[in-house]
Amino acid sequence: MSARTKARRRALNILFSADIRGDAISVALDAEAVRAANEPERAASWLYAREIVDGVIDHLDEIDELLTTHSRDWRIERMPAVDRAVLRLSTWELVYNDEIDVAVAIDEAVELVKDLSTDGSGAFVNGVLARIARAS
């Protein structure tokens, strides 16, 4: 598993845990930063995970607007929490990170939800992200 794939999983864990607990994302990020300081062997994945989460925090309103626009009748609060977290981190990669290829961002997102969410989540996430990519 590549460092970026691991970073995406770490970012997903931060976004998901904040959502489930009802905490601000920054609170979950700070808790993970403390944990990461004690895990120097995972430093490579931590740096990109932090970049993703900071990006989501900085652009959360715009990201949620894109998700609302392109999710076709799915309100963000109705989405499974894993799907919501993956869509937020992947939308940040698609729209705000020029270093990530569109196909890679979408494929990584789909793989995450296939492993961690509902049977229909892969197709749903793929469709939403593909529409965002076409519009960007």
Side-chain angles (χ1 to χ4, degrees), residues 1 24 39 51 62 64 89 101 108 119-120:
M1 183 180 306
E39 300 174 345
E51 182 180 351
E62 296 97 333
D64 282 357
L89 76 89
D101 183 70
E108 291 273 339
D119 290 340

Side-chain angles (χ1 to χ4, degrees), residues 2-8 10 39-51:
S2 77
R4 284 210 167 152
T5 298
K6 290 176 186 175
R8 287 180 186 98
R10 286 182 90 165
E39 300 174 345
E41 69 280 359
R42 296 173 64 189
S45 67
W46 167 244
L47 293 176
Y48 188 57
R50 180 169 198 120
E51 182 180 351

Side-chain angles (χ1 to χ4, degrees), residues 32-87:
E32 184 63 19
V34 170
R35 192 171 309 122
N38 296 315
E39 300 174 345
E41 69 280 359
R42 296 173 64 189
S45 67
W46 167 244
L47 293 176
Y48 188 57
R50 180 169 198 120
E51 182 180 351
I52 292 169
V53 176
D54 280 337
V56 170
I57 291 168
D58 290 345
H59 300 283
L60 185 60
D61 291 339
E62 296 97 333
I63 289 169
D64 282 357
E65 181 61 33
L66 286 167
L67 295 177
T68 298
T69 299
H70 297 286
S71 63
R72 296 195 175 155
D73 300 325
W74 272 88
R75 291 189 326 271
I76 290 175
E77 56 277 354
R78 284 190 57 224
M79 295 175 189
V82 171
D83 296 7
R84 186 171 41 247
V86 168
L87 284 166

Side-chain angles (χ1 to χ4, degrees), residues 14-30:
I14 294 165
L15 295 170
F16 177 79
S17 69
D19 193 8
I20 292 299
R21 292 180 180 154
D23 291 339
I25 298 170
S26 59
V27 170
L29 181 62
D30 290 345

